[in-house]
Every structure is written in structure tokens, then in C-alpha cells.
């Protein structure tokens, strides 16, 4: 099966998580992604949080599948020459260096587009160009704080809280991938490349849009009726942290199931969707609630929503999270077990769908990684292990036209 991005050559000048997540996605869909790494060290994540001595860390392997690795010191004249050749033959250059690093290397947007006017240059930075913080280096949690996620996550009596989901890193990479694909379609129309820039702060804000909605609602009416603070608590002039309340306006909460005393994940998320009230009452054995004016409407339920959740927890007390969901699904009630990472790693459905895959690796044996969360009718991405540092250096140099002697001389100069 041919892959839609076959023939697209990408210079992957990315590191850590935000950029590599983007280029990994494009590699899954067929792009030839050449990871350019500093000789000797490579992407810092190769060494970070290692679980096997002398083997690439999972942090690296899980963000760099389906790529080739070229070691290149782009600060040496020889290395710059190789990069220039590569630029002339590539479709996209992706980078997430600190602000100004690519310019300092001598590869400004102007220089790159002079070398190859069709090149798309895609960048991740912490803050967008011209922002008053645009000189800052940024990591995941910094972006979550600057993007409104931390101030709105957690419980009202605790501090701002960051999410385990990589809203600042991988999420930004996904935005960048959309930008790159858009620019590739644009290039088909104009024949020219362009600069695509995504900031981590902006990407987090894009995912926090419902909280920006809530800020405006709060300013207009002074309260937010779906938050646990309503109607008994206090609102200030900023969106509060709402614990596990549903952001879309469907009241819901994380509820204890059998075994919660010893299992930190023996919980389900239970949603009281307006139209599901009748089946919820039937499932819980509370048919009398269906027409009771104290329960019949979302407005009537809200003042004692936590008493309702407590009643549901009584019903859940003798059921595991899986048993509870199996009963509730028959009533069309939106709910799910709170799954641990161990359960996710071993979930047969996730293995069957290719969302979690086991791939071979030259140093590690095999390891688990994520496969494409996007499913196509006519494309089944095959996930391959991440490359070793410089594994494809000679192969890529010879594709660029270097002969054996020239390659040996590049090695001798330590440019590769
Ligand atoms: N050859 C020669 N030099 C290279 C090279 C190569 N192949 N690859 C990188 N370098 C150089 C860079 O040019 C830079 O040199 P200067 O500082 O002299 O210009 C240097 O390596 C370090 O790059 P950096 O500043 O990007 O790396 P850092 O570890 O100091 O910072 C990070 C890391 C992530 C904070 C920073 O890159 C950043 O803010 N990136 C943008 C935002 C981002 O993507 N953050 C998310 C990362 S995932 O959590």
C-alpha cells in the first residue's frame, strides 16, 4: 500500500518532544523524515530517564519511530555544506530550537528560502513571534501554565495543576503537523514554500477554549452553573478550578467503585447527561427520581448534585469499574473506567487497533510505543523502531551524492 506522504522529504531538526511528535506523525504517513542530530550526543532524550544502561531511552524511542538518523554538526563549515545540500533536496525543515538558534547557525528563513524557494520551514517556539515573552525557552509545564490550562485544572482548594497529557509538547506538534500539511497543499497552488510557526502557549490556549468561554460567561452573569461552586460556593472574577466537573456543561464526576480503598484507579467517570436522566434512574434502581421535581431537570438537580453522586457511589460500592460500565453501557449512559497505564498497555482493543504497538529495536529488544491515533480506510501505518544515533548517516550522504572518500573525510573532520 503506498502512503500519502511518500516522496515528501523532511529535515527533522527537532529535539525533546514537541517537534519530534510532529515529525513522527508525518513519518507514519510515509514522509522520509531525516533526523539531524549532533554527532556524539544526539537528541538529549536519548539519554534522559534511561531504563537500560547504554540503550536509547524510551523517551526518545517513543517519539522518533519511522525516522532515519543523520549525525551532522551544523556549526562546522563542512556540516553547513551538507545541510545546504539537504535543504535543496527537501520539502520541509522542522525545528524547535530555542528562539534565535537557527539564525545563529546561519540558517535564517531568508537564507533557507533562498536555497530552496519551495521549502516549508516549520517551527515550534514557546511563545509566538512578537510576544513579550518570545525570548523564553519553554518546556511542557511552562506552556501549560502560560496557556491557561494550569489555572483551570485541579481542585478549588489546591494550587494550579498541570495535566499529565502533553498539552504543551505533543499537542503543539500536532498543530504544527496540520500547519505543514496545509503549507504543502498551499505550495501545490503557488509553487512556493512558506514559514509555519506554532507556539506552545497558543496551542494550549486552543485546547482551553471552553475556559475562555467560561471567563466571558462569568463576567456577564457572575456564576457558572455547571461548576461545583454553584450554587453554594463563591465565584470571583476569574474562572475557578472545577475539579472533575464536565467542561461541556454535562454534570459529571469521578466516582468510587469497589476496591477504591486499595486501588488508586478503582473509579469511573460518570456523566449525568440531561437526556440520559431517565435511563440513569432506571440503572440505579431509582425510578422515583424520574418525575420528582427535585430531580427531573438539570437545574433542579444542581443544588444537590453531590448527594446524587453519593447515591451513585453507594450503587457502585459492590461493583468493579468494569462491571459498572458493563451495566451502564446497556442504558446508553456516557461513562468509562478510569484506566491505569498498565491497563492501557495491555488492552487488547488498543493492541488490535494499532494504537499501542510493540516494535523491535536494535538495542532494546522490543518496546511498546504509540501507533497512529488517526485511522484511515486506505492506509495502515506500520510503526518501526526509532533509529540509532547516526544509523543512516552514510546512506543519506551517499544519496546526497557524496562518494566513499568524501564521506570518510566528513567523518574525519567530525562534521558527521
Ligand atoms: N549541530 C550543531 N549545533 C547544534 C545542533 C547540531 N546538529 N543541534 C543543536 N545545536 C545547537 C543549537 O544551535 C544551539 O546552539 P546556540 O545556543 O549556540 O545557538 C544549542 O545546540 C542548543 O539548542 P537549544 O537552545 O534549542 O537547546 P536547549 O537544551 O538549551 O533548550 C529547549 C531546549 C527545548 C528549552 C529549547 O530548545 C526551546 O525553548 N525550544 C522551543 C520550545 C520547545 O520546543 N520546547 C519544547 C521542547 S519539548 O518539552
Amino acid at each position: 500500500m503506498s502512503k500519502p506522504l511518500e516522496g515528501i522529504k523532511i529535515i527533522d531538526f527537532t529535539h525533546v518532544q514537541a517537534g519530534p511528535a510532529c515529525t513522527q506523525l508525518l513519518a507514519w504517513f510515509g514522509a522520509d523524515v531525516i533526523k539531524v542530530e549532533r554527532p556524539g550526543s544526539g537528541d538529549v532524550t536519548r539519554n534522559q530517564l534511561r531504563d537500560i544502561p547504554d540503550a536509547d531511552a524510551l523517551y526518545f524511542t517513543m517519539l522518533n519511530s519511522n525516522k532515519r538518523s543523520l549525525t551532522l554538526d551544523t556549526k562546522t563549515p563542512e556540516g553547513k555544506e551538507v545541510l545546504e545540500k539537504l535543504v535543496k533536496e527537501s520539502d520541509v525543515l522542522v525545528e524547535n530550537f530555542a528562539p534565535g538558534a537557527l539564525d545563529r547557525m546561519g540558517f535564517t528563513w531568508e537564507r533557507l528560502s533562498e536555497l530552496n524557494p519551495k521549502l516549508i520551514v516549520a517551527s515550534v517556539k514557546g511563545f509566538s513571534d512578537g510576544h513579550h515573552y518570545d525570548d523564553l525557552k519553554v518546556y511542557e509545564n511552562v506552556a501549560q501554565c502560560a496557556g491557561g490550562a494550569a489555572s483551570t485544572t485541579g481542585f478549588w482548594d489546591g494550587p494550579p495543576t498541570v495535566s499529565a497529557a502533553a498539552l504543551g509538547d505533543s499537542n503543539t506538534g500536532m498543530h504544527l503537523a496540520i500547519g505543514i500539511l496545509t503549507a504543502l497543499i498551499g505550495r501545490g497552488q503557488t509553487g512556493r514554500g512558506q514559514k509555519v510557526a506554532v507556539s506552545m502557549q497558543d496551542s494550549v490556549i486552543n485546547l482551553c477554549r471552553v475556559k475562555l468561554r467560561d471567563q466571558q460567561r462569568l463576567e456577564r452573569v457572575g456564576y457558572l452553573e455547571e461548576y461545583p461552586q454553584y450554587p453554594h460556593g463563591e465565584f470571583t472574577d476569574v474562572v475557578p478550578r472545577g475539579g472533575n466537573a464536565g467542561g461541556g456543561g454535562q454534570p459529571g464526576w469521578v466516582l468510587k467503585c469497589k476496591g477504591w480503598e486499595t486501588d488508586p484507579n478503582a473509579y469511573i467517570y460518570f456523566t449525568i447527561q440531561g437526556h440520559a436522566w431517565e435511563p440513569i434512574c432506571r440503572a440505579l434502581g431509582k425510578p422515583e427520581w424520574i418525575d420528582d421535581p427535585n430531580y427531573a431537570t438539570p437545574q433542579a438537580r444542581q443544588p444537590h448534585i453531590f448527594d446524587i453522586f453519593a447515591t451513585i457511589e453507594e450503587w457502585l460500592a459492590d461493583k468493579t469499574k468494569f462491571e459498572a460500565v458493563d451495566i451502564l453501557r446497556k442504558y446508553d449512559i456516557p461513562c468509562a473506567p478510569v484506566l491505569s497505564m498498565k491497563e492501557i498497555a495491555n488492552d487488547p482493543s488498543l493492541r488490535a487497533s494499532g494504537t499501542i504497538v510493540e516494535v523491535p529495536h536494535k538495542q532494546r529488544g522490543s518496546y511498546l510505543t504509540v501507533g497512529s491515533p488517526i485511522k484511515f480506510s486506505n492506509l495502515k501505518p506500520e510503526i518501526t523502531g526509532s533509529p540509532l544515533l547516526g544509523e543512516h548517516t552514510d546512506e543519506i550522504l551517499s544519496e546526497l551524492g557524496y562518494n566513499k572518500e568524501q564521506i570518510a573525510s566528513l567523518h574525519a573532520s567530525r562534521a558527521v
Side-chain angles (χ1 to χ4, degrees), residues 1 6 33-34 60 68 71 115 121 137 159 173 184 187 212 225 227 258 262 280 282 295 346 359 361 395:
M1 197 188 293
E6 248 163 34
V33 175
I34 299 173
F60 178 85
R68 298 197 285 166
T71 47
L115 288 166
V121 178
K137 290 188 174 184
L184 279 168
R187 189 180 73 171
L212 187 57
E225 71 250 31
Y227 280 60
K258 185 176 160 187
T262 50
I280 289 169
R282 293 196 193 291
Y295 292 89
N346 296 307
V359 294
H361 185 268
E395 173 185 301

Short mmCIF file of all heavy atoms in Angstrom, two decimals, residues 1 6 33-34 60 68 71 115 121 137 159 173 184 187 212 225 227 258 262 280 282 295 346 359 361 395:
data_model
loop_
_atom_site.label_atom_id
_atom_site.label_comp_id
_atom_site.label_asym_id
_atom_site.label_seq_id
_atom_site.Cartn_x
_atom_site.Cartn_y
_atom_site.Cartn_z
N MET A 1 0.85 -1.20 0.00
CA MET A 1 0.00 0.00 0.00
C MET A 1 0.90 1.26 0.00
O MET A 1 1.76 1.38 0.86
CB MET A 1 -0.85 -0.02 1.28
CG MET A 1 -2.04 0.90 1.26
SD MET A 1 -2.81 0.95 2.91
CE MET A 1 -3.43 -0.72 3.07
N GLU A 6 4.48 9.69 0.87
CA GLU A 6 5.69 9.16 0.24
C GLU A 6 6.21 10.18 -0.77
O GLU A 6 5.44 10.80 -1.51
CB GLU A 6 5.37 7.84 -0.48
CG GLU A 6 6.05 6.66 0.20
CD GLU A 6 5.46 5.33 -0.20
OE1 GLU A 6 5.04 5.21 -1.37
OE2 GLU A 6 5.41 4.44 0.64
N VAL A 33 11.62 11.07 6.86
CA VAL A 33 12.00 12.02 7.90
C VAL A 33 13.44 11.75 8.32
O VAL A 33 13.76 10.68 8.84
CB VAL A 33 11.04 11.92 9.11
CG1 VAL A 33 11.51 12.82 10.25
CG2 VAL A 33 9.63 12.31 8.68
N ILE A 34 14.30 12.74 8.06
CA ILE A 34 15.72 12.60 8.38
C ILE A 34 16.02 13.41 9.64
O ILE A 34 15.98 14.65 9.63
CB ILE A 34 16.59 13.10 7.20
CG1 ILE A 34 16.29 12.25 5.96
CG2 ILE A 34 18.07 13.07 7.58
CD1 ILE A 34 16.95 12.75 4.70
N PHE A 60 13.09 8.80 24.00
CA PHE A 60 13.49 9.01 22.60
C PHE A 60 12.77 8.04 21.66
O PHE A 60 12.19 8.44 20.65
CB PHE A 60 15.01 8.83 22.45
CG PHE A 60 15.46 8.98 21.02
CD1 PHE A 60 15.72 10.23 20.48
CD2 PHE A 60 15.59 7.86 20.19
CE1 PHE A 60 16.10 10.37 19.15
CE2 PHE A 60 15.97 8.00 18.86
CZ PHE A 60 16.23 9.25 18.35
N ARG A 68 14.87 8.28 9.98
CA ARG A 68 16.28 7.94 9.78
C ARG A 68 17.12 8.97 10.55
O ARG A 68 16.69 10.11 10.72
CB ARG A 68 16.64 7.99 8.28
CG ARG A 68 15.86 6.98 7.46
CD ARG A 68 16.49 6.75 6.10
NE ARG A 68 16.27 7.85 5.17
CZ ARG A 68 16.95 7.99 4.02
NH1 ARG A 68 17.91 7.14 3.68
NH2 ARG A 68 16.69 9.01 3.21
N THR A 71 23.85 12.10 11.68
CA THR A 71 24.57 12.98 12.59
C THR A 71 25.26 14.06 11.76
O THR A 71 25.84 13.78 10.70
CB THR A 71 25.62 12.22 13.43
OG1 THR A 71 26.36 11.36 12.57
CG2 THR A 71 24.98 11.43 14.53
N LEU A 115 17.94 29.25 -0.61
CA LEU A 115 18.50 27.96 -1.03
C LEU A 115 17.43 27.10 -1.74
O LEU A 115 17.74 26.37 -2.68
CB LEU A 115 19.02 27.16 0.17
CG LEU A 115 20.30 27.66 0.82
CD1 LEU A 115 20.51 27.00 2.19
CD2 LEU A 115 21.51 27.37 -0.08
N VAL A 121 9.36 25.88 6.08
CA VAL A 121 10.15 25.90 7.31
C VAL A 121 9.19 26.00 8.50
O VAL A 121 8.46 26.98 8.64
CB VAL A 121 11.14 27.09 7.33
CG1 VAL A 121 11.93 27.12 8.63
CG2 VAL A 121 12.09 27.00 6.14
N LYS A 137 12.97 30.25 26.68
CA LYS A 137 12.99 28.81 26.42
C LYS A 137 11.80 28.21 27.18
O LYS A 137 11.51 28.64 28.29
CB LYS A 137 14.27 28.18 26.95
CG LYS A 137 15.50 28.57 26.16
CD LYS A 137 16.71 27.78 26.61
CE LYS A 137 17.89 28.08 25.69
NZ LYS A 137 19.08 27.29 26.01
N PRO A 159 -3.50 24.17 44.55
CA PRO A 159 -2.81 25.10 43.65
C PRO A 159 -3.12 24.80 42.18
O PRO A 159 -3.66 23.73 41.86
CB PRO A 159 -1.34 24.81 43.93
CG PRO A 159 -1.32 23.38 44.34
CD PRO A 159 -2.60 23.12 45.07
N GLY A 173 3.00 19.86 18.65
CA GLY A 173 3.49 19.12 17.49
C GLY A 173 2.36 18.77 16.53
O GLY A 173 2.53 18.81 15.31
N LEU A 184 1.90 22.45 2.55
CA LEU A 184 2.20 21.59 1.39
C LEU A 184 1.10 21.72 0.34
O LEU A 184 1.37 21.80 -0.87
CB LEU A 184 2.35 20.13 1.83
CG LEU A 184 3.70 19.74 2.44
CD1 LEU A 184 3.62 18.37 3.11
CD2 LEU A 184 4.81 19.76 1.40
N ARG A 187 1.58 25.03 -1.26
CA ARG A 187 2.69 25.02 -2.22
C ARG A 187 2.25 24.42 -3.56
O ARG A 187 2.71 24.86 -4.62
CB ARG A 187 3.84 24.19 -1.63
CG ARG A 187 5.11 24.31 -2.44
CD ARG A 187 6.21 23.47 -1.83
NE ARG A 187 6.00 22.06 -2.04
CZ ARG A 187 6.90 21.11 -1.75
NH1 ARG A 187 8.05 21.46 -1.20
NH2 ARG A 187 6.66 19.85 -1.99
N LEU A 212 -12.00 29.92 28.12
CA LEU A 212 -12.15 31.31 27.67
C LEU A 212 -13.64 31.63 27.51
O LEU A 212 -14.09 32.74 27.83
CB LEU A 212 -11.40 31.50 26.34
CG LEU A 212 -11.30 32.92 25.80
CD1 LEU A 212 -10.64 33.86 26.80
CD2 LEU A 212 -10.51 32.93 24.48
N GLU A 225 -22.94 27.76 36.11
CA GLU A 225 -23.84 26.82 36.77
C GLU A 225 -23.39 25.37 36.75
O GLU A 225 -23.89 24.55 37.51
CB GLU A 225 -25.27 26.92 36.19
CG GLU A 225 -25.42 26.38 34.79
CD GLU A 225 -25.67 27.50 33.78
OE1 GLU A 225 -25.15 28.62 34.00
OE2 GLU A 225 -26.35 27.23 32.78
N TYR A 227 -20.29 24.37 37.38
CA TYR A 227 -19.13 24.20 38.25
C TYR A 227 -19.59 23.79 39.65
O TYR A 227 -20.68 24.17 40.08
CB TYR A 227 -18.32 25.51 38.33
CG TYR A 227 -17.41 25.74 37.14
CD1 TYR A 227 -17.93 25.83 35.85
CD2 TYR A 227 -16.03 25.86 37.30
CE1 TYR A 227 -17.10 26.02 34.75
CE2 TYR A 227 -15.19 26.06 36.21
CZ TYR A 227 -15.73 26.14 34.94
OH TYR A 227 -14.91 26.34 33.87
N LYS A 258 -15.91 -0.44 43.62
CA LYS A 258 -15.41 -1.48 44.53
C LYS A 258 -13.87 -1.51 44.49
O LYS A 258 -13.30 -1.56 43.39
CB LYS A 258 -15.97 -2.83 44.07
CG LYS A 258 -15.66 -3.99 44.94
CD LYS A 258 -16.37 -5.21 44.39
CE LYS A 258 -15.77 -6.48 44.87
NZ LYS A 258 -16.38 -7.63 44.18
N THR A 262 -7.97 0.42 48.12
CA THR A 262 -6.60 -0.06 47.89
C THR A 262 -6.11 0.19 46.46
O THR A 262 -4.90 0.23 46.21
CB THR A 262 -6.51 -1.58 48.15
OG1 THR A 262 -7.57 -2.22 47.44
CG2 THR A 262 -6.66 -1.88 49.64
N ILE A 280 -30.60 6.69 33.59
CA ILE A 280 -29.74 6.68 34.79
C ILE A 280 -30.55 6.24 36.00
O ILE A 280 -30.14 5.37 36.77
CB ILE A 280 -29.10 8.09 35.01
CG1 ILE A 280 -28.04 8.37 33.96
CG2 ILE A 280 -28.51 8.19 36.42
CD1 ILE A 280 -27.55 9.81 33.93
N ARG A 282 -33.24 4.49 36.06
CA ARG A 282 -33.60 3.07 35.95
C ARG A 282 -32.39 2.19 36.29
O ARG A 282 -32.51 1.19 37.02
CB ARG A 282 -34.09 2.74 34.53
CG ARG A 282 -35.40 3.41 34.22
CD ARG A 282 -36.11 2.81 33.00
NE ARG A 282 -37.19 3.68 32.58
CZ ARG A 282 -38.32 3.88 33.26
NH1 ARG A 282 -38.53 3.27 34.40
NH2 ARG A 282 -39.24 4.72 32.80
N TYR A 295 -35.54 16.41 41.10
CA TYR A 295 -34.53 15.68 40.32
C TYR A 295 -34.74 15.77 38.81
O TYR A 295 -33.81 15.52 38.05
CB TYR A 295 -34.54 14.19 40.71
CG TYR A 295 -34.05 13.91 42.12
CD1 TYR A 295 -34.94 13.91 43.19
CD2 TYR A 295 -32.70 13.67 42.36
CE1 TYR A 295 -34.49 13.68 44.49
CE2 TYR A 295 -32.25 13.42 43.65
CZ TYR A 295 -33.15 13.43 44.71
OH TYR A 295 -32.70 13.19 45.98
N ASN A 346 -1.90 -3.03 28.25
CA ASN A 346 -2.29 -4.43 27.98
C ASN A 346 -3.67 -4.57 27.38
O ASN A 346 -4.18 -5.68 27.26
CB ASN A 346 -2.21 -5.23 29.29
CG ASN A 346 -0.77 -5.27 29.79
OD1 ASN A 346 0.14 -5.65 29.05
ND2 ASN A 346 -0.54 -4.83 31.01
N VAL A 359 7.28 -2.77 19.01
CA VAL A 359 8.18 -2.73 17.84
C VAL A 359 9.59 -3.17 18.24
O VAL A 359 10.00 -3.00 19.38
CB VAL A 359 8.23 -1.31 17.22
CG1 VAL A 359 6.90 -0.91 16.61
CG2 VAL A 359 8.69 -0.28 18.22
N HIS A 361 13.72 -3.15 18.37
CA HIS A 361 14.74 -2.10 18.44
C HIS A 361 16.09 -2.79 18.59
O HIS A 361 16.22 -3.76 19.35
CB HIS A 361 14.47 -1.19 19.64
CG HIS A 361 15.39 -0.02 19.74
ND1 HIS A 361 16.56 -0.05 20.48
CD2 HIS A 361 15.31 1.21 19.19
CE1 HIS A 361 17.16 1.13 20.38
NE2 HIS A 361 16.42 1.92 19.61
N GLU A 395 24.36 6.35 4.49
CA GLU A 395 23.31 6.13 3.48
C GLU A 395 22.76 7.47 2.96
O GLU A 395 22.64 7.68 1.74
CB GLU A 395 22.20 5.30 4.16
CG GLU A 395 20.93 5.07 3.39
CD GLU A 395 19.90 4.33 4.28
OE1 GLU A 395 20.21 3.21 4.76
OE2 GLU A 395 18.81 4.89 4.50
#
